[in-house]
Amino acid sequence: GLGQALIYPYYTVRDKVAGAPYQSLLSVVNSTASAKAVKVRFLEGKNSKEVLDFNLYLSAKDVWVAAIIPTAAGAGIYTPDKSCTTPVVSADGSNPTPFVNYAYTGSAADGADTSLDRTREGYVEIIEMGNILGGSTTEAAVTHVAGVPPCGALASASAHTVAGNGGLFGGMTIINVLAGEDFAVDATALEGF
C-alpha cells in the first residue's frame, strides 16, 4: 500500500438528487522520515484532461487533506491543511480554487463537451517528485512548527530535491451528507515509479 505514485480512481461532486451533491475528501500521508515534494493532478473523467495541478510539500510523517466540492459551474478544491502548495490552494470552503477547462477548449478541444461541468467527476494522481534534502532551507520551509510550516523559501526547492524513496499512501472518501451515503477507497500505490 506504499508507493511513489498514488492513483485515486474516482472523485465526484455531482448531485445524487437535485440539491444533494457529493463531496470527495482526499488524504495523502508521507510515512517516511524525509520531507517530500509531490505533484498533485486532477483529471476529468471523460478524456482524462488535466483540470488542476500543483506542487505539494510534505514534511516528514506529514498528512495532507483536501475537499473537492461543487462550484456553480463545475468543481473546485480547498484545504484546511497548512502544508505548503505552489501555487497556493484556497483554504476557504466558500471560495475554493476552481478547476479549469483549458486542456479541452480552444485549440485543445477534443470534440467533447467544453463546459466546466466536465470537471465534476474524474480521478486524482499524486506523483512523488523527490525527497527534500535534510538540513536544506527548503526542508526548513516545509517543516511544521507548532502545526504550521513557514513556506517562505520554496524558490530553491528543485535544487534541494533528490530521488524519492516512496512511502506515500492515501485514500478518498466520497460523501453525500444529505443522502446519507459515504464510500471510501484507498489510493492504488505504485512503487518503483
Side-chain angles (χ1 to χ4, degrees):
L2 299 176
Q4 294 167 324
L6 303 176
I7 300 172
Y8 300 75
Y10 186 65
Y11 76 80
T12 186
V13 296
R14 294 213 179 273
D15 287 354
K16 178 170 176 84
V17 295
Y22 286 95
Q23 294 184 3
S24 296
L25 311 177
L26 171 73
S27 69
V28 62
V29 179
N30 173 11
S31 69
T32 73
S34 300
K36 293 190 178 293
V38 300
K39 173 66 78 178
V40 181
R41 298 180 69 218
F42 298 87
L43 301 109
E44 54 81 33
K46 187 175 291 277
N47 286 327
S48 298
K49 300 293 185 172
E50 188 174 289
V51 294
L52 185 71
D53 77 273
F54 52 87
N55 294 344
L56 167 65
Y57 299 91
L58 299 168
S59 59
K61 307 290 185 180
D62 196 3
V63 177
W64 182 77
V65 297
I68 305 166
I69 61 174
T71 63
I77 182 175
Y78 80 96
T79 178
D81 199 292
K82 304 299 183 198
S83 293
C84 309
T85 61
T86 305
V88 174
V89 174
S90 175
D92 180 0
S94 60
N95 187 27
T97 299
F99 288 175
V100 296
N101 58 358
Y102 308 149
Y104 59 87
T105 59
S107 63
D110 58 8
D113 176 20
T114 60
S115 76
L116 287 169
D117 181 70
R118 209 164 132 176
T119 69
R120 293 186 189 270
E121 61 186 332
Y123 63 99
V124 183
E125 299 173 340
I126 295 183
I127 302 167
E128 179 180 21
M129 295 186 293
N131 288 349
I132 297 171
L133 290 171
S136 67
T137 55
T138 302
E139 183 191 44
V142 304
T143 299
H144 291 69
V145 178
V148 180
C151 295
L154 295 177
S156 57
S158 61
H160 298 152
T161 304
V162 297
N165 61 344
L168 298 175
F169 69 92
M172 176 87 72
T173 299
I174 299 173
I175 188 167
N176 191 317
V177 174
L178 297 175
E181 292 183 339
D182 178 21
F183 307 95
V185 63
D186 290 335
T188 298
L190 304 176
E191 184 57 84
F193 188 78

